[in-house]
Amino acid sequence: MKKVIMMFLLLAAALTASAQAGLKINELFEGRIIPQERLIETRVRGKTLERYRLTYYRSLRLNATADEAGRLRQLLGQDAERSIDMQTNRNSPHRQDTWTCKLQMPPSGSKNFYICYQEQWNRQHDKCEVTVIYMEGSVASMEELEELLK
């Protein structure tokens, strides 16, 4: 029984690891850009996501240096070149500068893939908080996804 459980856990880990395969931003999820101990990670699968028509949700939050944020933007830009839809937004209130980028990646069968990236710069302290979210599911467009997540 222990062998069956261990095989199931290894299979689940392999499937999770390959969820973002082919995406440049996957380097962040694999810990190649920022050490894992600096990342706050959330992974969700299953019934919790059904009402959003998603099958997988994974997010990372971290504090990044200017160089690290630049590297992440570079990877995101490479993914954006392959995206089928992209939306960006910049908001610059008095002490904080926020930049958001949302990508819809090419589908695979009936599964659609989304990347959401946000940088929040605190100008007063020259700090950058980055949030990267990867989602997959049957949601057909970013507009539809935004409506479901409201």
Side-chain angles (χ1 to χ4, degrees):
M1 184 64 169
K2 285 183 181 181
K3 286 182 181 181
V4 171
I5 292 172
M6 190 59 121
M7 292 286 284
F8 176 76
L9 291 174
L10 289 172
L11 178 62
L15 290 173
T16 299
S18 67
Q20 298 89 226
L23 298 174
K24 297 297 183 180
I25 200 71
N26 191 37
E27 289 186 37
L28 173 66
F29 286 95
E30 290 179 348
R32 291 188 208 147
I33 309 290
I34 310 289
Q36 292 287 346
E37 59 269 7
R38 288 183 41 211
L39 302 173
I40 299 170
E41 181 176 17
T42 302
R43 293 184 198 199
V44 182
R45 281 192 185 275
K47 288 189 179 239
T48 307
L49 296 173
E50 283 179 1
R51 67 180 170 173
Y52 304 108
R53 296 198 339 252
L54 295 171
T55 55
Y56 186 54
Y57 171 98
R58 187 175 184 188
S59 71
L60 294 176
R61 195 171 40 133
L62 61 124
N63 290 315
T65 66
D67 288 342
E68 291 167 337
R71 176 73 177 126
L72 295 175
R73 279 192 306 276
Q74 182 183 36
L75 295 172
L76 186 71
Q78 291 172 353
D79 284 332
E81 291 174 5
R82 292 186 35 240
S83 70
I84 59 174
D85 193 6
M86 180 172 110
Q87 298 173 1
T88 61
N89 184 31
R90 173 162 243 118
N91 186 8
S92 300
H94 180 64
R95 290 191 173 133
Q96 202 150 33
D97 185 21
T98 302
W99 180 71
T100 305
C101 179
K102 300 172 189 169
L103 303 176
Q104 181 178 1
M105 303 308 291
S108 176
S110 63
K111 213 175 247 190
N112 293 298
F113 307 93
Y114 300 90
I115 302 169
C116 300
Y117 178 93
Q118 181 177 26
E119 286 182 5
Q120 287 187 312
W121 285 92
N122 183 325
R123 290 186 216 145
Q124 191 174 21
H125 300 289
D126 200 31
K127 290 184 179 178
C128 179
E129 183 176 291
V130 175
T131 304
V132 182
I133 301 171
Y134 170 84
M135 294 173 278
E136 59 185 51
S138 63
V139 180
S141 68
M142 280 197 285
E143 291 78 18
E144 191 177 331
L145 180 64
E146 287 177 1
E147 196 62 38
L148 286 168
L149 294 176
K150 282 186 181 178

